[in-house]
Amino acid sequence: MPSRSVIVIGGGLAGLSSAVALAEAGFRVRLFEKRPHLGGRASSYMLPGGEHVDNCQHVTLGCCTNLADFYRRVGAAHKIRWYDRLIFSDAAGRRGVIEASPLAPPFHLAPSFALFPSLAWADKSAIARAMLAITRSGGRPPDVSGAAGVTMLDWLRRHDQTQASIERFWRVVLVSALDEELGRTDAGYGMDVFWKAFLANRNGFRIGIPSVPLGELYSGCRQAIEQRGGEVVVRAGVRAIRLEHGRVVGVELDNHALETSDYYIAAVPHDQLPGLLPAKVVESEPAFANLSRLRSAPITGVHLWFDRVVMTEPYLTLLDHTTQWIFNKSLLYGSSAPPAGPDVAGQAGAAVENCQYLQLVISASYELVPRSRQDIIELCRRELQEILPPAREARLLKATVIKETAATFSPEPGCDRWRPCQSGPIENLFLAGDWTATGWPATMESAVRSGYLAAEAILAVAGKPQKLLQPDLPVESASRWLARNARSQHS
């Protein structure tokens, strides 16, 4: 019996994870990606001077179990460097470290948190009370429920959080994790971040950072598909999904070729999918029509090359600044190779043995979108000089700014109402993307979860049911007891 075939539209993490899983399950997979490289929004490319840059620095956490499984499948797990501490720097130049102690969750981070220099005792006390409320509810406080949702900022104010705790703790963590301001974020997502990453399991907060450009993480994906008889085609955009009698009969490529298959997965951004479908179908099917209700949020990445070492840590999280994260790419990549090409002043960039490449990330960067790239570079350079004294004397050899104006969907209150499941209203068309109903916000973990769920749906329809989705990290120790005890008291 010939193997069933699947066409996957889109070579981001959602499309790649579904394609790899289905290829492993015996399907003939053909993946079409309009860009010249794989990875979607979590990819890298080469500048004219020869430097590889990520469109935005992406990291994973210990709680991202499906992303870890995907990296293992494609042989990329060894390309992730894991760190057991978070390093913060405030405007006064004080460094604070959050790391695990031998205490059981949820108290494993408490000793380092108690010594955190950028928060007063009143701030820490307020945060501890809110954390206990999250833990005792198992990450689901009763005052965040409801279809319309409540903003994270409103929830924090209800729980008497100080202004300093909001700005120097809650905002720092959540804006980076969710790519949205607290006043526009569904509190349920904020609860998930702290419950899954910081409270439920001692390994949830571990940070994993790629030790190679993002594009190199996906080299094993093509091999995993092609060695099983599949095909990966880049520079092959899909212009339309053709329907007849409620079924997909093929996809039309930009070159007007019509490609057919048994099943189809649309793994494209939520704002692009409606344009591939007939207008009447989009208007009549809520799963497609409601996608216009999902708003987008921006992320800005700033890449700087200095003529000397200005930073010794692998990464820093900044407080009291526009810049939120600094990643020491030279250290992370294990290389100090100098940049090529002209610098920001248009002069030749000299080869300096100890030059350093840093990448800065600003999530929910609404205020930066209208600003010029040169303004953003100068802003970030001034902020670096405040917290990294060696940067004051360093010469900036080269800089570039990458604005992702629609980097993620915005996790607004109630947005889950508009996120469709992976089995859509069209019989043989399945949906994948971090914007589908995954239970997670717009993260790489959500994208992989969606790909696995779409693959599971196809396997079920084809009579080959298989479980692909990985479980969350187990709730450990006192966290499990506190959550269970609180539920028993309210039952």
Side-chain angles (χ1 to χ4, degrees):
M1 180 179 177
S3 62
R4 294 295 186 98
S5 62
V6 179
I7 284 179
V8 178
I9 309 169
L13 280 172
L16 290 171
S17 56
S18 62
V20 169
L22 288 169
E24 290 178 350
F27 286 72
R28 180 174 181 268
V29 176
R30 286 181 293 160
L31 185 147
F32 296 98
E33 166 56 46
K34 68 178 181 180
R35 299 184 186 185
H37 48 75
L38 301 175
R41 288 165 293 161
S43 61
S44 59
Y45 55 91
M46 187 177 292
L47 295 178
E51 307 86 359
H52 283 276
V53 296
D54 296 334
N55 64 336
C56 182
Q57 178 67 63
H58 287 69
V59 302
T60 184
L61 295 173
C63 59
C64 296
T65 55
N66 287 276
L67 182 59
D69 179 77
F70 173 68
Y71 285 152
R72 285 192 295 270
R73 285 176 184 266
V74 299
H78 68 285
K79 299 177 182 178
I80 305 297
R81 290 189 179 183
W82 289 95
Y83 297 88
D84 295 321
R85 51 176 14 205
L86 300 176
I87 310 169
F88 299 82
S89 180
D90 62 22
R94 294 174 297 186
R95 296 288 200 269
V97 175
I98 299 295
E99 58 188 345
S101 72
L103 295 177
F107 308 112
H108 56 302
L109 302 176
S112 60
F113 179 71
L115 298 174
F116 195 75
S118 302
L119 294 169
W121 178 249
D123 308 322
K124 296 175 183 177
S125 178
I127 292 168
R129 291 194 301 271
M131 289 289 202
L132 183 59
I134 296 172
T135 303
R136 295 186 64 186
S137 67
R140 277 287 176 265
D143 53 354
V144 302
S145 60
V150 59
T151 72
M152 190 68 201
L153 185 59
D154 285 341
W155 189 87
L156 293 173
R157 287 172 173 167
R158 289 180 191 174
H159 287 258
D160 301 320
Q161 297 302 289
T162 64
Q163 189 61 33
S165 72
I166 292 174
E167 291 298 324
R168 289 188 159 193
F169 180 75
W170 298 102
R171 184 180 183 277
V172 169
V173 173
L174 291 177
V175 172
S176 296
L178 300 175
D179 189 28
E180 190 54 280
E181 291 294 345
L182 300 181
R184 289 194 285 251
T185 295
D186 191 310
Y189 289 125
M191 300 299 111
D192 280 344
V193 169
F194 281 98
W195 173 243
K196 293 176 180 178
F198 293 95
L199 297 170
N201 185 292
R202 68 183 303 104
N203 293 315
F205 84 104
R206 297 182 69 224
I207 182 170
I209 307 176
S211 61
V212 296
L214 287 173
E216 292 188 28
L217 286 178
Y218 313 118
S219 57
C221 298
R222 180 188 291 270
Q223 181 181 3
I225 295 168
E226 292 179 344
Q227 70 182 7
R228 293 174 172 84
E231 184 180 12
V232 176
V233 187
V234 296
R235 293 187 174 91
V238 171
R239 62 186 301 166
I241 299 173
R242 299 300 181 193
L243 305 180
E244 288 182 9
H245 308 296
R247 288 179 54 86
V248 179
V249 294
V251 295
E252 182 182 352
L253 303 184
D254 285 340
N255 63 3
H256 299 288
L258 186 69
E259 301 289 342
T260 63
S261 183
D262 296 310
Y263 307 101
Y264 302 81
I265 297 177
V268 298
H270 74 273
D271 56 350
Q272 295 181 19
L273 178 59
L276 301 179
L277 295 165
K280 290 184 179 179
V281 172
V282 174
E283 294 169 1
S284 62
E285 294 291 350
F288 303 134
N290 286 334
L291 292 179
S292 63
R293 298 176 181 268
L294 292 175
R295 302 180 186 275
S296 297
I299 296 178
T300 298
V302 182
H303 303 257
L304 305 174
W305 288 263
F306 290 97
D307 69 347
R308 67 195 70 182
V309 174
V310 301
M311 176 178 168
T312 57
E313 299 93 342
Y315 54 88
L316 278 176
T317 304
L318 269 56
L319 312 180
D320 313 315
H321 290 85
T322 298
T323 303
Q324 295 157 357
W325 283 81
I326 310 171
F327 293 93
N328 185 343
K329 304 291 275 194
S330 294
L331 181 60
L332 292 166
Y333 289 171
S335 168
S336 58
D343 66 5
V344 289
Q347 302 172 349
V352 180
E353 183 178 356
N354 292 320
C355 79
Q356 189 171 54
Y357 167 31
L358 306 180
Q359 181 175 355
L360 285 58
V361 178
I362 303 101
S363 299
S365 55
Y366 296 99
E367 294 182 359
L368 298 185
V369 170
R371 298 183 63 170
S372 72
R373 283 166 169 75
Q374 192 59 44
D375 282 348
I376 296 171
I377 291 168
E378 290 303 318
L379 167 66
C380 292
R381 188 179 184 184
R382 288 195 301 270
E383 293 192 339
L384 286 188
Q385 291 172 343
E386 290 180 11
I387 63 165
L388 301 174
R392 298 165 192 169
E393 304 298 327
R395 184 163 70 95
L396 185 62
L397 297 174
K398 187 168 185 175
T400 191
V401 176
I402 299 175
K403 298 180 183 179
E404 290 278 355
T405 56
T408 67
F409 76 86
S410 173
E412 294 180 312
C415 68
D416 277 352
R417 292 174 292 175
W418 321 125
R419 300 173 68 182
C421 66
Q422 290 72 32
S423 298
I426 297 171
E427 183 179 340
N428 59 339
L429 177 64
F430 300 82
L431 309 179
D434 59 9
W435 47 271
T436 60
T438 66
W440 280 64
T443 58
M444 294 193 294
E445 170 73 7
S446 181
V448 173
R449 289 173 69 93
S450 77
Y452 284 180
L453 288 169
E456 285 185 4
I458 289 177
L459 287 164
V461 170
K464 301 171 63 176
Q466 182 179 338
K467 183 69 173 177
L468 299 170
L469 198 67
Q470 302 299 303
D472 290 337
L473 292 178
V475 181
E476 293 181 328
S477 305
S479 291
R480 183 175 64 251
W481 181 86
L482 284 168
R484 182 183 301 163
N485 189 52
R487 284 194 296 268
S488 65
Q489 290 178 359
H490 290 87
S491 62

